Amino acid sequence: MWLQILSEILKLTVFAGLTLAGILAIIIWKRDLKTKVTYMRFLVQAAAMVAFYLLFSYTTELLFVLVVIFLLSIFWGRFFCGWLCPFGFYMDLVAALRKTLKIRYWNLQDGLNKILDKFRYALLALFVFLPFMLGEIEPWQWPLAKFLAGPFKPISVLLSPVEPLVIPWESTIKVYGVNLSYPYASVIAFYSGESYALLCISIFVALTLASSFVVRRFWCRFCPTGASFSVLNRFKPFRWIPLLRLNKVEEKCTKCGICKRVCPAQVTDVYEQKGGDIKTSMCMLCLRCVELCPYEDCLRLNLAGKTIFKSRNWLEPSKIE
Ligand code: SF4
Ligand code: SF4
């Protein structure tokens, strides 16, 4: 009964959250307070998490959800990772806590970060293709095939980071009757067995959150879901498709390096590239660099060629307000 009430409250919350996000977006836009974009992102991420709960409560076909997100990503790049992914939201909350505690983050070496970016595609290939290739093998005869059976399926693995914290189906992790989940929790539970499930999941949660506490968006450097969103746009014939693009005006760049320092994914292309569209698949369009670049109109977010958000000269506040 009270789960029904909780579900109704969540439904109302999502509509209230989305309405509030819309109103705030208009206020921020009107007042030209675009440096508040990070707060707006938190709000959108929270609303998206509730929206995913609702989506899953209507027993939506998972393949359909994946196809819609994938199609959106062809046109919006990795906007989903930056603004909508629930797992990304947890990591951003952990980073906000670190910031509040005034603890400094660690940066991975640029070389290692680029290697991990390529490694994501190897992981993606493993997750997506091996179950098909091994489909004919009797799962219990061979350890790897056994590993790839059960819930370890391309669709569930790719959609796992999209699962919200509270889920509308029976889960292995239950607290006071509320079904909780965390990305890959069902896969871990399946393979670790009933008695160890909670322990293994707790270790996984602790590891991913602790690593995201010290290294910003740590999991995003491995995430097969994020890689799947950018895989098509890596190929030349498809590079013209994205409608949302980060763009740099080289003449306005003073090489202050702020964009490099504030990027949670440690993208260096914005700093290094000599102007034009930033096409790296490591960028998740979080807009942190645009928000904090202190030079007027140096960095921009373009939608179908039209600038919808650009950097401001926040060094001289009188020029903003
Ligand atoms: S923050 Fe702006 S001005 Fe500074 S290096 Fe980056 S793009 Fe150039
Ligand atoms: S390059 Fe800019 S928009 Fe892309 S992830 Fe880094 S900070 Fe965010």
Side-chain angles (χ1 to χ4, degrees), residues 232-262:
L232 198 62
N233 298 336
R234 283 182 78 89
F235 298 107
K236 233 178 178 175
F238 299 100
R239 287 212 182 131
W240 59 273
I241 297 180
L243 296 174
L244 273 181
R245 285 171 190 271
L246 192 62
N247 180 277
K248 177 181 174 187
V249 179
E250 181 60 20
E251 304 74 55
K252 301 198 175 174
C253 174
T254 60
K255 292 286 171 203
C256 70
I258 289 178
C259 56
K260 202 159 78 164
R261 287 204 298 278
V262 299

Side-chain angles (χ1 to χ4, degrees), residues 29-300:
W29 201 261
K30 287 269 176 214
R31 288 200 176 178
D32 211 11
L33 291 173
K34 295 183 185 111
T35 50
K36 300 285 182 243
V37 74
T38 295
Y39 301 107
M40 199 166 90
R41 195 155 49 85
F42 269 128
L43 207 67
V44 173
Q45 283 172 314
M49 191 158 101
V50 185
F52 278 116
Y53 175 86
L54 291 180
L55 200 65
F56 289 132
S57 19
Y58 292 114
T59 53
T60 318
E61 194 55 60
L62 290 186
L63 181 62
F64 176 71
V65 178
L66 192 63
V67 167
V68 170
I69 297 176
F70 187 69
L71 284 178
L72 275 180
S73 301
I74 293 177
F75 295 102
W76 289 11
R78 287 186 63 205
F79 178 82
F80 177 88
C81 301
W83 287 75
L84 303 174
C85 175
F87 201 178
F89 183 40
Y90 313 152
M91 286 188 276
D92 288 347
L93 286 177
V94 168
L97 174 69
R98 175 192 40 74
K99 215 169 161 187
T100 312
L101 297 174
K102 296 195 176 12
I103 298 172
R104 182 112 179 91
Y105 57 76
W106 296 350
N107 269 335
L108 297 180
Q109 297 232 332
D110 285 347
L112 174 65
N113 200 32
K114 282 181 181 155
I115 290 172
L116 285 179
D117 179 48
K118 301 222 163 29
F119 179 65
R120 280 188 314 150
Y121 293 100
L123 266 185
L124 175 67
L126 180 84
F127 285 158
V128 173
F129 295 116
L130 266 183
F132 290 118
M133 287 154 64
L134 297 171
E136 297 304 311
I137 297 173
E138 167 59 49
W140 311 110
Q141 295 295 316
W142 191 36
L144 186 58
K146 178 187 169 187
F147 184 66
L148 294 168
F152 195 88
K153 299 264 169 26
I155 294 174
S156 64
V157 168
L158 289 182
L159 267 182
S160 212
V162 168
E163 281 176 19
L165 205 54
V166 179
I167 47 170
W169 59 79
E170 273 298 308
S171 139
T172 324
I173 329 168
K174 263 194 179 197
V175 178
Y176 297 114
V178 178
N179 293 302
L180 298 180
S181 184
Y182 192 75
Y184 307 104
S186 58
V187 181
I188 296 170
F190 182 85
Y191 293 107
S192 57
E194 276 292 302
S195 43
Y196 291 113
L198 206 55
L199 176 70
C200 292
I201 293 167
S202 308
I203 293 172
F204 180 67
V205 171
L207 275 180
T208 45
L209 288 187
S211 54
S212 310
F213 187 80
V214 282
V215 178
R216 297 164 298 170
R217 289 286 189 129
F218 186 69
W219 175 260
C220 294
R221 332 262 170 138
F222 302 92
C223 181
T225 311
S228 72
F229 294 156
S230 45
V231 73
L232 198 62
N233 298 336
R234 283 182 78 89
F235 298 107
K236 233 178 178 175
F238 299 100
R239 287 212 182 131
W240 59 273
I241 297 180
L243 296 174
L244 273 181
R245 285 171 190 271
L246 192 62
N247 180 277
K248 177 181 174 187
V249 179
E250 181 60 20
E251 304 74 55
K252 301 198 175 174
C253 174
T254 60
K255 292 286 171 203
C256 70
I258 289 178
C259 56
K260 202 159 78 164
R261 287 204 298 278
V262 299
C263 176
Q266 288 184 240
V267 171
T268 53
D269 302 48
V270 181
Y271 175 76
E272 286 161 5
Q273 196 175 300
K274 301 249 170 288
D277 287 341
I278 312 296
K279 290 182 181 148
T280 172
S281 59
M282 287 163 77
C283 172
M284 50 195 168
L285 293 172
C286 71
L287 303 184
R288 192 96 179 107
C289 55
V290 187
E291 178 184 37
L292 290 174
C293 167
Y295 296 97
E296 187 79 26
D297 207 12
C298 174
L299 295 181
R300 305 157 168 181

